[in-house]
Amino acid sequence: MWSETEVARRLGVQYPIIQAGMAGGPASPELAAAVSEAGGLGTLGGGYWTGEQLRDAVRTVRRLTDRPFAVNLFAPEPYEVSAEKISRVQERMRPYQYELGLSEPPFPKQFAPSFEEQMEVVLEERVPVFSFTFGMLEAEWMQALKERDIVVIGTATTVREAVALEQSGVDMVVAQAFEAGGHRGTFLSRFEEALIGGMALIPAMVDAVRIPVIAAGGIMDGRGIAAAFMLGAQGVQLGTAFLTCRESGAHTLHQQAVLSATEESTTLTRAFSGKPARGIRNRFIEEMADVEVPDYPVQNALTREIRQVAGKAGRSEFLSMWAGQGTRLSREMTAEALLEALVRETEEAVGRLAQGVR
Amino acid sequence: MWSETEVARRLGVQYPIIQAGMAGGPASPELAAAVSEAGGLGTLGGGYWTGEQLRDAVRTVRRLTDRPFAVNLFAPEPYEVSAEKISRVQERMRPYQYELGLSEPPFPKQFAPSFEEQMEVVLEERVPVFSFTFGMLEAEWMQALKERDIVVIGTATTVREAVALEQSGVDMVVAQAFEAGGHRGTFLSRFEEALIGGMALIPAMVDAVRIPVIAAGGIMDGRGIAAAFMLGAQGVQLGTAFLTCRESGAHTLHQQAVLSATEESTTLTRAFSGKPARGIRNRFIEEMADVEVPDYPVQNALTREIRQVAGKAGRSEFLSMWAGQGTRLSREMTAEALLEALVRETEEAVGRLAQGVR
């Protein structure tokens, strides 16, 4: 029943179940390959990688699997570099640097890797699927992707964003609901106005566009997948559910935090990167809550060393532990076992209801 | 298939579809009776009524239908009466009173009607179903309700709240998700930490309690109902969807605002009542956003005259227009036609998926 779905057909996968492109480690080549091998669509979270790192990751995936996979990147957006905000936030983070034994960090040479270099790799390597978030793609990139038959997936947090993405030529759109972990993809509204729960967002988006909608946010098991399909989605994207898989590149402390979190554990924060994102509440988020941090990706660059050193030192209070609201349902298994469970549970949920609404 | 559900059986209704107890007008006797007549469970939104007003409403419903219905009330909770906060907020609202031609309002004699008087009516009238929100019920009330075979439904915004309500003896629990319109029912957490989207909240709550879970928040059509059932809910509660029905007691301006709203139109505000609630953004909400208002029900009493006079004057910028995030799917019809559509759409959605996940 799965392979008939339009999303599965277009992506060339068995199940329209996409592993989200959790940048910064979790969405590693090993995880992406394992998900694709198991019949879903694995994704490389390439947002923070240089072109060279991305090329290595793409080639690693290809050594591990012949199946389709995706690369996910961050669409560039304008940002302000305010010396005043930077010095104020540096001041506030000094005690943490001291606590972690860091010397005063050098001012970052570059805030984010070159999107042009990343895109050249995507095009040269002819990756099967390209997904992106944080905005729209310039027309030249879209055309170059289409010429290479690369399936293009955008990310929308509102109906208006989905319509704009459809007009720009994407093949499918991810409906990123309020429940979702990680960075908000909002690009046409103030982020506070684009926090829409999946039960409301998915059917409204399905009604407004002709391209397939992929539901994302809080989906952790087959019940969630079946619900997303009922709402009209034709595919699902799961991040947090795959983050605790054996093959995930997420830090062990991050995985443990997700496994023990409740639905009340996460919050939206700008503290780590300058862009609102959902993660597990910790000391850094709480203590930085009153600071007006610089825009993304400036703040992201400024906190990078703290996060890296904290990771090595096993200090989870300084890690950005992105997670969605579905953490109570997280489980520790291989990607293959998780995908098998998701498929079985979805079929069970649908079968149960088809016999009569309980 | 519907009548087999545990919720439908316990409530004595054909469909486990509950019309929410939207207090302050929308959940009128006419609406409740029409929903119950059509096979769902109508609810009287009695939170702001005196015992006498509640009795009149119960008797009106009984004149209009022989079928089961519910009364919804607000569980009393401790609150602070701060003369300083009151005078500060009165100061800020003075220009609105002036604009509406109001003289300086007398200090309210009573902030909220007597819960004891309301409960005596519920017990004396032996209403078939009693639902409540904002907290737990004292053991004496619970016992009195049980002795009269009244089905008791609590409201939870987190798993912890659902577990506490189950332990207190409720027969069913409403899972009020982030998407929901009107007041947040949160009573064990800070409200900001209890904003959980339905896709995450519903299955987590279903796993944690043995009593049936009724899904609420963003459900507007049969797709939403089918999704809620997939997530494990055994019933649904819809507020916004019924608010625009012909029989609804909602102000015409409120109905029109809901019919033309998008998923980005609502926000959470304390401005009208002192308690966080989701409603359509308007001038009052925006201009009062920076004011630290007194606790519920103090602020509610202080804004009452403004809201009433604004309603008569057709000034929607001063009305509390509660609504959930599903407004794009709202429609104008009779309660009977809406219930018929909901049932048909749910069966269609389930049937579509049973033939194979699209």
Side-chain angles (χ1 to χ4, degrees), chain A residues 229-242:
Chain A
F229 281 111
M230 286 291 167
L231 292 170
Q234 300 194 46
V236 291
Q237 181 169 284
L238 285 66
T240 310
F242 284 109

Side-chain angles (χ1 to χ4, degrees), chain A residues 130-147:
Chain A
F130 173 69
S131 66
F132 63 99
T133 181
F134 299 175
M136 308 271 280
L137 222 50
E138 280 176 37
E140 296 72 39
W141 294 126
M142 188 67 79
Q143 202 190 325
L145 290 161
K146 299 272 173 173
E147 282 166 5

Side-chain angles (χ1 to χ4, degrees), chain A residues 100 251 253 306-317 319:
Chain A
L100 290 165
H251 196 290
L253 291 175
I306 291 177
R307 290 180 281 117
Q308 281 173 353
V309 173
K312 283 175 198 145
R315 300 281 299 269
S316 67
E317 68 264 48
L319 295 182

Side-chain angles (χ1 to χ4, degrees), chain B residues 177-201:
Chain B
F178 171 74
E179 294 92 331
H183 285 104
R184 302 295 306 159
T186 306
F187 59 94
L188 290 183
S189 303
R190 291 195 309 126
F191 96 93
E192 300 91 337
E193 296 173 10
L195 299 173
I196 319 297
M199 294 289 276
L201 182 64

Side-chain angles (χ1 to χ4, degrees), chain B residues 5-72:
Chain B
T5 69
E6 192 183 336
V7 169
R9 235 186 315 112
R10 288 279 340 242
L11 298 177
V13 298
Q14 209 174 341
Y15 310 112
I17 300 173
I18 303 174
Q19 165 245 316
M22 302 167 282
S28 61
E30 291 70 25
L31 179 61
V35 172
S36 289
E37 268 296 293
L41 186 79
T43 301
L44 286 170
Y48 301 125
W49 290 336
T50 63
E52 207 174 332
Q53 289 171 314
L54 179 57
R55 194 183 306 274
D56 286 349
V58 167
R59 294 190 174 168
T60 303
V61 172
R62 286 198 154 128
R63 267 198 302 279
L64 296 170
T65 182
D66 294 329
R67 305 215 176 171
F69 63 94
V71 165
N72 182 266

